[in-house]
């Protein structure tokens, strides 16, 4: 049967090397269902796969990917809300303990927002979607004195924080964070060097994660 050979080759590599290691886990997950503790919201970008970055096994991460890792504010209307449906399933049914919003460097969605900001002819979907980060952009000011790379980096991080705020607009997320059965976390991945930063909400800054654990003293 004709199919895309790169994917068939990849599947065969998976079946030969990883599947034997994970076979029991897959079977158990099929029998008992998934119980991931972590939901990850990250970008569609082909360079930021959370299963790769967090070295995750099947069943560990409940992942939603969209352009620029965004969550629209709570809005229970008759429209088809894909991100909100995934959140409802993760929080209300799976009862995940953590929601991680992971932004990244070189994000095409964030760049499109900046470059198309004043474009009179928005495309069908991307500009409208990326308008979600307008409040984050406003909080940064006009970015004067910053190189475009630095400005984009700040906006990519600010949009993670804005998404964390939007998550709190969902009443069933707010109630779970209030009773501390759910934690909202922010992270940022640098595509160029593989560095990971995590958000410190008390200090309002992102800080680096050491690639190696600190040596025991
Ligand atoms: Zn992106």
């Amino acid at each position: 049967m004709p199919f895309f050979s790169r994917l068939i080759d990849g599947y065969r590599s998976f079946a030969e090397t990883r599947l034997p290691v994970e076979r029991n886990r897959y079977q158990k997950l099929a029998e008992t269902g998934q119980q991931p503790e972590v939901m990850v919201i990250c970008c569609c970008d082909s360079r930021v796969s959370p299963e790769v970055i967090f070295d995750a096994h099947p069943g560990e991460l409940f992942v939603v990917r969209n352009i620029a890792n965004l969550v629209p504010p709570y809005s229970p209307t008759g429209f088809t809300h894909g991100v909100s449906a995934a959140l409802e399933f993760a929080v209300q049914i799976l009862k995940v303990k953590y929601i991680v919003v992971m932004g990244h460097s070189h994000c095409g969605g964030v760049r499109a927002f900046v470059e198309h900001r004043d474009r009179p002819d928005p495309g069908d979907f991307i500009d409208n979607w990326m308008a979600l980060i307008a409040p984050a952009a406003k909080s940064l000011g006009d970015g004067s004195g910053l190189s475009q790379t630095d400005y984009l980096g700040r906006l990519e991080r600010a949009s993670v924080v804005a998404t964390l705020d939007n998550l709190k607009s969902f009443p069933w997320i707010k109630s779970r964070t209030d009773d501390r059965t759910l934690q909202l976390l922010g992270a940022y991945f640098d595509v160029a060097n593989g560095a990971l930063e995590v958000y410190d909400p008390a200090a309002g800054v992102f800080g680096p994660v050491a690639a190696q654990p600190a040596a025991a003293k």
Side-chain angles (χ1 to χ4, degrees):
M1 188 178 296
F3 198 74
F4 181 35
S5 61
R6 167 66 188 86
L7 295 185
I8 296 295
D9 290 347
Y11 171 71
R12 286 177 178 149
S13 172
F14 160 80
E16 191 180 329
T17 57
R18 186 147 184 192
L19 184 57
V21 177
E22 304 280 22
R23 190 180 296 279
N24 289 343
R25 186 188 297 264
Y26 273 120
Q27 182 146 14
K28 191 158 175 264
L29 287 166
E31 290 164 3
T32 63
Q34 61 169 336
Q35 286 184 303
E37 292 192 342
V38 182
M39 178 180 194
V40 181
I41 297 165
C42 64
C43 188
C44 298
D45 191 299
S46 59
R47 301 164 293 184
V48 297
S49 171
E51 292 88 348
V52 173
I53 292 167
F54 296 117
D55 195 21
H57 295 286
E60 284 190 314
L61 302 182
F62 188 82
V63 176
V64 171
R65 300 182 72 165
N66 62 45
I67 299 291
N69 39 269
L70 304 178
V71 170
Y74 181 70
S75 175
T77 64
F79 295 108
T80 42
H81 296 286
V83 178
S84 302
L87 283 167
E88 184 177 65
F89 190 74
V91 174
Q92 301 281 61
I93 310 293
L94 295 174
K95 302 198 185 304
V96 295
K97 295 176 181 168
Y98 306 91
I99 299 177
V100 179
V101 178
M102 182 170 72
H104 71 99
S105 69
H106 305 84
C107 183
V110 173
R111 177 180 287 271
F113 170 82
V114 172
E115 292 180 350
H116 298 175
R117 218 177 327 208
D118 302 317
R119 198 167 71 161
D121 57 337
D124 282 348
F125 297 108
I126 295 175
D127 288 354
N128 199 24
W129 174 251
M130 288 309 304
L132 285 167
I133 70 168
K138 200 169 175 197
S139 73
L140 287 184
D142 63 5
S144 57
L146 293 175
S147 68
Q148 192 187 38
T149 302
D150 286 345
Y151 177 73
L152 289 171
R154 288 195 191 188
L155 185 52
E156 286 156 354
R157 290 172 178 86
S159 75
V160 169
V161 177
T163 294
L164 291 170
D165 287 340
N166 282 351
L167 283 170
K168 290 176 207 151
S169 70
F170 289 69
W172 28 265
I173 289 178
K174 173 96 171 50
S175 65
R176 290 270 315 274
T177 56
D178 284 349
D179 69 16
R180 298 175 183 272
T181 57
L182 174 65
Q183 217 178 329
L184 307 182
L185 306 169
Y188 181 83
F189 181 74
D190 190 323
V191 170
N193 59 16
L196 184 73
E197 297 175 9
V198 294
Y199 180 60
D200 177 348
V205 295
F206 285 78
V209 174
Q212 302 289 333
K217 290 183 181 156

